[in-house]
Amino acid sequence: MSKSSISNSVIRRLPRYYRFLGELENNGYVRISSRELSEKMGLTASQIRQDFNCFGEFGQQGYGYNVSDLRIEIGKILGLDKQTPMILLGAGNLGKAIAAHIDFRNKGFDLIGAFDVNEGIIGKEIGDLKVRGIDELSTFCAENKPVAAILCVPMGAAEKLANTLIECGVKAFWNFTHYDLKVTHKGVAVENVHLGDSLTTLSYCLNNLNNSEK
Amino acid sequence: MSKSSISNSVIRRLPRYYRFLGELENNGYVRISSRELSEKMGLTASQIRQDFNCFGEFGQQGYGYNVSDLRIEIGKILGLDKQTPMILLGAGNLGKAIAAHIDFRNKGFDLIGAFDVNEGIIGKEIGDLKVRGIDELSTFCAENKPVAAILCVPMGAAEKLANTLIECGVKAFWNFTHYDLKVTHKGVAVENVHLGDSLTTLSYCLNNLNNSEK
């Protein structure tokens, strides 16, 4: 099966498999059956077998999966064997927290720059990066060629900034704004983190939990 | 159709509809056709009609949707007409940024407390809340009856804390940890925000973008 025909829901499960196999490896597991893995992960064994079959033959009948091999293979599929240069746009509360919280190098990226428009933030340090003014963006991109960007800017600034970044060669956006990059720009990779939508979904789930109990 | 039979993917689209309708209302829209809404949102008109039909008859043939009415109805479905008391567990970088960044009252929640184990964080202020020590948690819950919690603690602390919170009456978790609450606890509402998995997914998408261009 070609990669492009893999469904979005399988792709969404891959990072979790990767993370889970890492934990198993740390706990000394050498191999695991799809049944045991399914019980630990709250999935069905047949779903796990189907998911892994999308990418090739990983398991062996009656033996199960080799934890380390499977993790390495999934890591390659996820592109974690590379480190794509990434920059942060918007180094306020949220941007700063994300930069500090995430282990970029283990997720396939290398955070090489941070930018803001706020004079009170420019020049401050985030980890080992000094926040630069947005006027340095084009020069920085020409010199350092970032391919990915984290958007942590206000909604109103997102469209113009996204256009500039794409002109500068950025092809992947980790988008924390509500600006709909997927709708306006084709041919770029976009992963939206809509924290507000996520909290709203929790409200629905809680509300529905209450309804189903009545 | 009963609420419990609504698919997860429809539920995931509701917050975006709600948000989008709010923007339309702010821009002076009184009504909108499913076709116009679909173009603006990058969905198909038939998907929009199907989604809204899950909850009842909102539109009118040849007239379209009344933007304000539809937004109010979706808001009710999402439970945004209530404000559920919520507490933050873990007031480090990420927890602090989330507390500052999110407009809880517009998402159906009211942030009433923040807790941490770190002596350097306890007593500090997040907005109008003072961070409390975790030893105050049970008393606080008995007095203030929070129903929802944000988990921003290290993975190792999540399991014990989740158990304590459930004993204290918490029924909804906005989970930023990798602890699999959905697998271990039934009968609670869980919304996971796995930032690391999200970034890993972006790596896959970028990698696949490159592959499809070759």
Side-chain angles (χ1 to χ4, degrees):
Chain A
M1 195 183 282
S2 79
K3 279 194 182 184
S4 56
S5 63
I6 292 163
S7 81
N8 198 33
S9 46
V10 178
I11 294 165
R12 300 246 143 232
R13 282 194 287 274
L14 286 181
R16 191 163 166 245
Y17 286 127
Y18 183 78
R19 183 158 50 77
F20 221 90
L21 290 164
E23 284 165 26
L24 289 174
E25 208 176 351
N26 287 341
N27 290 327
Y29 279 76
V30 174
R31 61 183 172 123
I32 192 164
S33 68
S34 50
R35 196 171 60 88
E36 198 179 352
L37 188 58
S38 71
E39 281 163 11
K40 285 184 185 292
M41 294 189 71
L43 298 167
T44 68
S46 102
Q47 182 167 54
I48 287 181
R49 284 191 297 264
Q50 269 177 36
D51 284 357
F52 292 170
N53 280 342
C54 289
F55 300 98
E57 286 298 324
F58 288 129
Q60 207 177 310
Q61 195 82 37
Y63 173 88
Y65 300 101
N66 179 301
V67 172
S68 169
D69 289 355
L70 182 57
R71 182 164 180 270
I72 289 169
E73 283 308 312
I74 293 179
K76 278 186 200 161
I77 292 163
L78 289 167
L80 305 185
D81 50 341
K82 304 164 195 167
Q83 281 189 344
T84 301
M86 187 172 217
I87 54 176
L88 169 68
L89 286 305
N93 273 327
L94 188 64
K96 211 168 54 184
I98 288 160
H101 184 76
I102 295 289
D103 182 1
F104 289 89
R105 288 175 177 269
N106 275 325
K107 314 289 176 198
F109 294 93
D110 183 15
L111 190 66
I112 60 165
F115 298 85
D116 207 290
V117 292
N118 186 333
E119 291 294 338
I121 292 174
I122 296 167
K124 292 219 166 146
E125 284 181 7
I126 298 186
D128 53 358
L129 297 175
K130 191 167 273 188
V131 180
R132 295 162 193 263
I134 202 77
D135 52 320
E136 294 183 42
L137 182 61
S138 298
T139 316
F140 181 91
C141 288
E143 282 172 11
N144 299 284
K145 306 205 174 0
V147 177
I150 312 170
L151 284 190
C152 274
V153 299
M155 171 90 171
E159 182 170 3
K160 195 176 159 220
L161 193 54
N163 290 336
T164 306
L165 288 165
I166 289 170
E167 278 168 27
C168 289
V170 169
K171 284 174 187 273
F173 289 88
W174 201 20
N175 180 27
F176 286 78
T177 80
H178 281 152
Y179 175 59
D180 263 319
L181 265 159
K182 268 183 193 165
V183 177
T184 53
H185 295 85
K186 309 297 175 191
V188 292
V190 180
E191 173 69 13
N192 292 316
V193 183
H194 289 158
L195 292 175
D197 286 7
S198 169
L199 184 58
T200 309
T201 305
L202 183 65
S203 170
Y204 173 87
C205 295
L206 175 64
N207 206 38
N208 206 47
L209 198 69
N210 292 339
N211 286 337
S212 64
E213 278 176 1
K214 275 171 197 160
Chain B
M1 196 183 280
S2 78
K3 280 195 181 183
S4 55
S5 62
I6 293 162
S7 80
N8 198 34
S9 46
V10 179
I11 295 165
R12 301 247 142 230
R13 281 194 288 273
L14 285 182
R16 190 163 167 243
Y17 285 127
Y18 184 78
R19 183 156 52 75
F20 221 89
L21 290 164
E23 284 165 24
L24 289 174
E25 209 176 353
N26 288 341
N27 291 328
Y29 278 77
V30 174
R31 61 184 171 121
I32 192 162
S33 68
S34 50
R35 195 170 61 88
E36 199 180 351
L37 189 59
S38 71
E39 282 163 9
K40 286 184 185 292
M41 295 189 70
L43 298 166
T44 68
S46 102
Q47 182 166 54
I48 286 182
R49 284 192 296 266
Q50 271 177 34
D51 284 356
F52 293 169
N53 280 343
C54 289
F55 299 98
E57 285 298 324
F58 287 129
Q60 207 179 311
Q61 195 83 36
Y63 172 88
Y65 300 102
N66 178 302
V67 172
S68 169
D69 289 355
L70 181 58
R71 182 164 181 270
I72 290 169
E73 283 308 312
I74 293 179
K76 280 185 198 160
I77 291 163
L78 290 168
L80 305 185
D81 50 340
K82 305 165 194 165
Q83 282 189 343
T84 301
M86 186 172 217
I87 53 175
L88 169 68
L89 286 304
N93 273 326
L94 187 64
K96 211 167 56 183
I98 289 161
H101 184 75
I102 296 289
D103 182 0
F104 288 90
R105 289 176 177 270
N106 276 325
K107 312 291 175 199
F109 294 94
D110 182 16
L111 191 65
I112 60 165
F115 297 84
D116 208 290
V117 292
N118 186 332
E119 291 295 338
I121 292 174
I122 296 167
K124 294 220 166 145
E125 284 180 8
I126 299 187
D128 54 359
L129 296 176
K130 191 167 273 187
V131 179
R132 295 162 193 264
I134 202 77
D135 52 320
E136 293 182 44
L137 181 62
S138 298
T139 316
F140 182 91
C141 288
E143 281 170 13
N144 299 285
K145 306 204 173 0
V147 177
I150 312 169
L151 285 190
C152 274
V153 299
M155 171 89 171
E159 182 170 2
K160 195 175 159 223
L161 193 54
N163 290 336
T164 306
L165 289 165
I166 290 170
E167 277 168 28
C168 288
V170 169
K171 284 173 188 277
F173 289 87
W174 201 18
N175 181 27
F176 286 77
T177 78
H178 280 153
Y179 174 59
D180 263 320
L181 264 158
K182 269 184 193 164
V183 177
T184 52
H185 294 85
K186 309 297 175 192
V188 292
V190 180
E191 173 68 13
N192 291 317
V193 183
H194 288 159
L195 292 174
D197 286 7
S198 170
L199 184 58
T200 309
T201 304
L202 183 65
S203 170
Y204 173 85
C205 295
L206 174 64
N207 206 37
N208 207 46
L209 198 69
N210 292 340
N211 286 337
S212 64
E213 277 175 2
K214 273 172 198 161

